[in-house]
Amino acid sequence: MKEISNRSPLIIAPKEPFREWARKYNELSIEDLEQRLKEIHVYLIDWSYGKNQEEALGPYFYKIFESELLSWNYIKNEWPQKMDYELFLEWFEVMIGDYLFDSGTEPIEFEKL
């Protein structure tokens, strides 16, 4: 196992306001839609040990917000008008981990987004 010493995990889960918005932009069956709305996403951010949530999220929340919205709808004029930090917290449950460990045996693979 290896500690990844310069990153922290940021765990994002959708809250009901995001789910309501996302339901408008789907072509999935109800079962598939509800399953997808339970997905939890993990982002890696610069190590944030000792920072409060706003300090740790500040540089990243907007890009993460965009990424989450893009996963449902590419038409930006159908996105919320004011995508600020407060709305982000209304739409997503956030947890920031203190440490990140890689216990896999295969090399990490990357895809550029």
Side-chain angles (χ1 to χ4, degrees):
M1 184 177 324
K2 297 172 262 187
E3 180 180 351
I4 299 173
S5 59
N6 66 339
R7 296 287 185 269
S8 291
L10 174 64
I11 299 122
I12 303 291
K15 291 181 179 177
E16 192 55 35
F18 177 83
R19 290 184 186 117
E20 288 175 21
W21 177 85
R23 285 184 184 105
K24 298 176 188 176
Y25 306 105
N26 82 86
E27 299 173 2
L28 301 169
S29 69
I30 292 174
E31 296 81 20
D32 289 342
L33 171 65
E34 293 308 315
Q35 183 60 39
R36 186 158 176 235
L37 286 171
K38 293 177 185 174
E39 289 179 356
I40 295 171
H41 298 157
V42 178
Y43 294 86
L44 298 181
I45 61 173
D46 289 331
W47 196 49
S48 63
Y49 186 78
K51 294 181 180 178
N52 68 38
Q53 180 173 294
E54 189 168 359
E55 288 175 316
L57 272 176
Y60 308 103
F61 85 88
Y62 191 84
K63 287 189 182 252
I64 293 169
F65 209 159
E66 283 185 322
S67 176
E68 295 293 322
L69 296 174
L70 279 169
S71 71
W72 288 91
N73 182 351
Y74 284 96
I75 303 170
K76 290 186 177 184
N77 67 357
E78 295 176 347
W79 291 6
Q81 293 291 317
K82 187 177 179 186
M83 292 173 40
D84 60 12
Y85 182 73
E86 289 76 24
L87 185 66
F88 182 80
L89 293 179
E90 286 177 32
W91 281 31
F92 300 98
E93 188 72 37
V94 176
M95 184 185 304
I96 301 172
D98 294 317
Y99 295 98
L100 180 65
F101 299 94
D102 179 5
S103 54
T105 58
E106 297 293 320
I108 295 175
E109 296 181 14
F110 296 93
E111 291 184 31
K112 187 170 181 164
L113 300 177

